[in-house]
Amino acid sequence: MEKKLELIETRFNELNKQLADPEVASDPEKFKKLNKERTSIEDTVALYGEYKKILKDIEDTKAMLRHEEDPELSEYINQELESLLKVQSKTKEKLYIMLLPKDPYDEKDIIMEIRGGAGGDEAALFAGEIFRMYCKYAEKNGWKTDIITSNMTGLGGVKEVVFSISGKNVYSRLKYESGVHRVQRVPETESSGRVHTSTVTVAVLVEPEAVDVEINPSDLKIDTYRSSGAGGQHVNKTDSAVRLTHIPTGIVVACQDERSQHQNREKAMRLLRAKILEIEQSKKTNELANERKLQVGSGDRSEKIRTYNFPQSRLTDHRIGFSVHNLELVMEGELDAIIDALTLDSQKKALAVEN
């Protein structure tokens, strides 16, 4: 580990020198590229600096202990040493995690699909609340949301909503949200006070750039039709809705929320590219799991990942056995505690495999 960190530190110092060079500063493209590389390793170098200081403090403390004859002072120094060794162990683990291979999609934007599952109107209502929860979380992080296609119910629920979230490190924070979200609560229409269980499915797709997923126009079947449902005067008057069928994979996507056929086609293409990339991602994940004999969550929408228990104000993530007891705040977009716990668990598993 130390050898890798020394190389990273050396590279960081080289980059600082290059960025201070007037010739580099006069080349915006080169400056931007080098600065991005520097930023990507800055935190690792800073933590490595702390780690080296801790190692020096440990050696100094051991030296003091060897020469100390007073029993009381020796006990105090021993306690200091134990404390430093604990800090060293935690810092070393953080450094190992920083050296793990990065997920190439972590900085990408996403397309999220939310659908009401078992439970009828109650499932649709909860799907609407889950949609609002993610929108609130996006807002707290300064991310942008954009609905691609939706099918709302008259009661404010959601049969299906597909929307994009764009911003800094969106996928790295939300990639663990795919799966079945189960809700347990008393519906407003339940007169006997009986707790009902309903489900919502969530899928998180990486939104690729057009160059990341090439689609041959000859592989597409394009249908246009009249929009249906709420949408204004254009509904059922123009063929603005678009349905795309990708013949090689059989994937079908449709979009009708926008007023123009061009806009609907553009959004449908975004969704299609994301679904094609999802298939490729799934293949790679399975190959990696088989190669390393690694037990991983499938990220599949059929996997029950979480329960929202309203009577007890408790959210439980079943993959890591993690619970919080502030469900009201969670539904307002306070998701960091859950996401941090999932991220840490994933990092520790990856660390165990690397070692």
Side-chain angles (χ1 to χ4, degrees), residues 50-264:
E50 289 178 30
Y51 182 69
K52 286 194 290 186
K53 185 180 182 303
I54 292 163
L55 290 179
K56 186 179 183 305
D57 289 346
I58 287 171
E59 288 308 310
D60 291 345
T61 306
K62 283 179 177 177
M64 286 172 62
L65 192 60
R66 281 195 297 269
H67 296 98
E68 185 55 61
E69 294 179 0
D70 186 310
E72 281 190 23
L73 278 174
S74 292
E75 187 181 344
Y76 173 76
I77 295 168
N78 249 322
Q79 289 173 353
E80 284 293 305
L81 183 59
E82 283 177 22
S83 177
L84 283 167
L85 289 169
K86 284 178 184 176
V87 174
Q88 182 214 359
S89 177
K90 287 180 181 177
T91 307
K92 191 173 185 177
E93 186 176 341
K94 285 180 185 176
L95 284 168
Y96 267 123
I97 288 170
M98 283 182 160
L99 292 176
L100 288 172
K102 300 280 191 247
D103 187 329
Y105 299 118
D106 270 353
E107 294 181 12
K108 293 283 190 182
D109 299 334
I110 67 165
I111 289 176
M112 185 175 273
E113 299 177 333
I114 299 174
R115 292 184 176 87
D121 288 341
E122 173 64 8
L125 284 170
F126 188 60
E129 290 171 46
I130 288 285
F131 170 54
R132 179 178 174 275
M133 176 185 80
Y134 287 124
C135 287
K136 285 276 188 183
Y137 185 66
E139 187 182 335
K140 288 176 192 295
N141 283 281
W143 299 336
K144 181 185 173 186
T145 57
D146 179 29
I147 293 177
I148 293 173
T149 184
S150 61
N151 186 356
M152 309 293 187
T153 69
L155 299 171
V158 170
K159 287 184 180 177
E160 175 191 32
V161 61
V162 181
F163 62 108
S164 65
I165 305 179
S166 57
K168 187 178 179 182
N169 298 324
V170 174
Y171 183 71
S172 71
R173 296 299 287 165
L174 293 176
K175 61 184 174 183
Y176 305 111
E177 296 301 298
S178 289
V180 174
H181 296 237
R182 183 176 69 172
V183 59
Q184 295 174 327
R185 65 182 176 186
V186 180
E188 291 182 16
T189 54
E190 175 58 61
S191 56
S192 66
R194 185 167 60 90
V195 173
H196 286 230
T197 298
S198 306
T199 61
V200 167
T201 61
V202 174
V204 177
L205 314 177
V206 174
E207 177 158 18
E209 305 289 335
V211 292
D212 295 334
V213 177
E214 290 185 19
I215 298 174
N216 190 328
S218 64
D219 288 339
L220 283 180
K221 180 176 181 288
I222 304 171
D223 297 306
T224 58
Y225 56 99
R226 291 184 182 180
S227 301
S228 59
Q233 292 183 356
H234 69 292
V235 172
N236 291 327
K237 290 189 177 181
T238 61
D239 291 340
S240 60
V242 175
R243 183 189 300 111
L244 302 179
T245 304
H246 187 243
I247 297 164
T249 59
I251 295 171
V252 179
V253 297
C255 186
Q256 66 169 24
D257 282 28
E258 299 296 334
R259 289 183 176 273
S260 79
Q261 188 183 115
H262 173 74
Q263 288 174 310
N264 281 325

Side-chain angles (χ1 to χ4, degrees), residues 257-303:
D257 282 28
E258 299 296 334
R259 289 183 176 273
S260 79
Q261 188 183 115
H262 173 74
Q263 288 174 310
N264 281 325
R265 178 170 171 166
E266 190 178 290
K267 285 192 171 183
M269 282 295 289
R270 287 171 62 192
L271 182 54
L272 180 59
R273 278 194 292 267
K275 285 183 174 288
I276 291 171
L277 182 61
E278 182 190 27
I279 293 172
E280 292 303 313
Q281 271 186 297
S282 182
K283 284 179 186 173
K284 286 178 184 176
T285 301
N286 291 335
E287 284 169 10
L288 183 64
N290 291 333
E291 180 189 326
R292 298 187 176 187
K293 297 179 180 174
L294 179 65
Q295 292 295 315
V296 294
S298 66
D300 192 276
R301 64 200 72 186
S302 64
E303 180 186 4

